């Protein structure tokens, strides 16, 4: 029997939204670096953003600022706070992956869709409005007082929804931000959207799909 969850919960940036931090970094730094150095810079920027969200909550502008400053230092490039501000200001302008609107539109009339996002309250409505399907609930790191992958973010979402881990299907393209914590939270029903961000890791137990167009079939729609 196909599992029909009370809610389908989603990571937003990266899974539904084309989160183009790499493109933003290239716009600012590719003229200063060789292609190989640029790839290293992007990987470092990603790693430092993850490191920055593991502590006490702070505004996402500070996450980007600190991560970029640390990346520049590691790669021997002068840090300009204006670049960090520009990258941060790009976040609400980004829209969905091409496969997302149609896939979500098939599910939304039948199962409430929920976004759990490492975002600011003022930013995320601009991204959500571009998804092309109704999102019943949006929970941010700002409201939770914690960023994913911290458990507190997931606990906040479940408390707000009034349900348990057994009631949801969580969808993400990231193990490190979402699926590893979902596993630890006892969320057995998980979907990994393989967008090439991270390698597969079957230990965490999930259904793999190539994009959101395949998600309706997972829940029998």
């Amino acid at each position: 029997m196909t599992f029909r969850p009370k809610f389908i919960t989603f990571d937003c940036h990266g899974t539904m939204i084309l989160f183009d931090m790499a493109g933003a970094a290239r716009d600012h730094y590719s003229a200063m670096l060789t292609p190989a150095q640029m790839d290293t810079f992007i990987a470092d920027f990603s790693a430092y953003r993850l490191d920055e969200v593991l502590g006490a909550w702070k505004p996402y502008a500070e996450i980007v600022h600190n991560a970029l400053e640390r990346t520049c230092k590691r790669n021997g490039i002068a840090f300009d706070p204006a670049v960090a501000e520009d990258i941060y200001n790009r976040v609400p302008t980004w829209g969905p992956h091409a496969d997302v609107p149609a896939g979500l539109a098939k599910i939304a009339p039948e199962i409430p869709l929920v976004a759990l996002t490492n975002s600011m309250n003022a930013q995320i409505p601009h991204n959500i409005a571009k998804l092309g399907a109704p999102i019943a609930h949006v929970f941010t790191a700002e409201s939770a007082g914690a960023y994913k992958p911290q458990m507190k973010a997931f606990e906040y979402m479940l408390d707000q929804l009034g349900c348990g881990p057994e009631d949801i299907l969580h969808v993400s393209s990231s193990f490190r931000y979402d699926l590893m914590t979902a596993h630890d939270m006892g969320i057995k029903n998980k979907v990994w959207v393989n967008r090439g961000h991270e390698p597969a890791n079957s230990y965490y137990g999930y259904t793999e799909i190539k994009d959101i167009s395949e998600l309706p079939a997972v829940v029998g729609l």
Side-chain angles (χ1 to χ4, degrees):
M1 181 179 294
T2 300
F3 174 65
R4 184 65 67 91
K6 290 183 181 178
F7 302 95
I8 302 181
T9 60
F10 292 84
D11 167 58
C12 190
H13 295 109
T15 301
M16 294 195 292
I17 298 295
L18 179 58
F19 192 55
D20 196 19
M21 284 287 184
R26 289 185 190 280
D27 286 347
H28 285 286
Y29 297 105
S30 61
M32 308 177 194
L33 300 168
T34 68
Q37 289 171 332
M38 190 71 243
D39 289 343
T40 298
F41 187 97
I42 288 169
D44 290 343
F45 188 28
S46 177
Y48 280 128
R49 291 197 310 275
L50 177 59
D51 190 62
E52 285 287 332
V53 301
L54 296 177
W57 185 86
K58 50 184 175 277
Y60 195 67
E62 292 184 27
I63 300 291
V64 175
H65 178 109
N66 295 349
L68 188 63
E69 185 173 23
R70 296 168 74 186
T71 302
C72 287
K73 179 180 178 181
R74 184 170 181 174
N75 289 270
I77 293 175
F79 171 67
D80 181 354
V83 174
E85 183 177 5
D86 175 72
I87 292 175
Y88 173 78
N89 288 335
R90 293 188 188 199
V91 174
T93 72
W94 292 330
H97 291 280
D99 53 273
V100 168
L104 295 183
K106 290 182 181 179
I107 302 170
E110 305 296 332
I111 304 171
L113 308 180
V114 178
L116 178 62
T117 174
N118 278 359
S119 187
M120 300 291 290
N121 294 339
Q123 282 189 315
I124 194 62
H126 302 279
N127 301 117
I128 294 296
K130 297 178 176 69
L131 292 177
I135 305 299
H137 305 279
V138 179
F139 302 118
T140 68
E142 182 178 4
S143 294
Y147 290 99
K148 298 179 296 178
Q150 296 183 54
M151 284 185 170
K152 185 179 178 181
F154 285 85
E155 290 169 339
Y156 175 81
M157 176 181 72
L158 292 174
D159 287 346
Q160 294 299 307
L161 292 175
C163 68
E166 69 279 4
D167 296 320
I168 68 171
L169 174 68
H170 191 67
V171 181
S172 179
S173 61
S174 174
F175 289 96
R176 298 182 77 179
Y177 276 96
D178 283 84
L179 298 179
M180 292 168 67
T181 305
H183 173 271
D184 293 341
M185 289 286 298
I187 300 171
K188 298 186 182 301
N189 297 289
K190 299 180 289 295
V191 169
W192 176 46
V193 186
N194 185 358
R195 297 202 184 276
H197 302 154
E198 301 170 15
N201 192 331
S202 60
Y203 173 82
Y204 293 100
Y206 52 84
T207 298
E208 179 180 345
I209 60 176
K210 65 177 177 60
D211 60 41
I212 299 300
S213 70
E214 296 182 353
L215 185 59
V218 174
V219 291
L221 294 175

